[in-house]
Amino acid sequence: MVTDLHMAGMSGIELQAEMLRRHCAKPVIMMTAYPTSAARQQTMTCGACAFLTKPHDPDALLDAIKAFTA
């Protein structure tokens, strides 16, 4: 799943935590235009496979997707 860190109603970190709570083990690629080291750490600790900064490098996004679909 590709999601944004900042969304209306629920943050990407909250979405990731809810997925874990529901035992929905899907690879998460988190994207944000406002990266912080704390957000990166929390996202990766919760099991994200990538933390990308917007504007993102299309090749980096494709590489992150390919890593979990091959």
Side-chain angles (χ1 to χ4, degrees):
M1 172 174 51
V2 179
T3 188
D4 199 293
L5 183 61
H6 300 284
M7 301 181 293
M10 178 182 283
S11 74
I13 292 173
E14 291 168 335
L15 174 61
Q16 192 176 10
E18 183 63 19
M19 288 175 59
L20 288 173
R21 188 186 73 75
R22 294 182 184 204
H23 306 287
C24 182
K26 302 288 182 191
V28 174
I29 298 171
M30 190 71 67
M31 298 173 61
T32 185
Y34 308 100
T36 66
S37 58
R40 177 185 302 274
Q41 178 65 32
Q42 188 174 8
T43 299
M44 299 307 284
T45 298
C46 288
C49 61
F51 186 89
L52 304 177
T53 301
K54 292 181 191 177
H56 65 276
D57 173 3
D59 291 330
L61 178 58
L62 287 174
D63 288 346
I65 292 169
K66 287 177 185 175
F68 289 92
T69 58

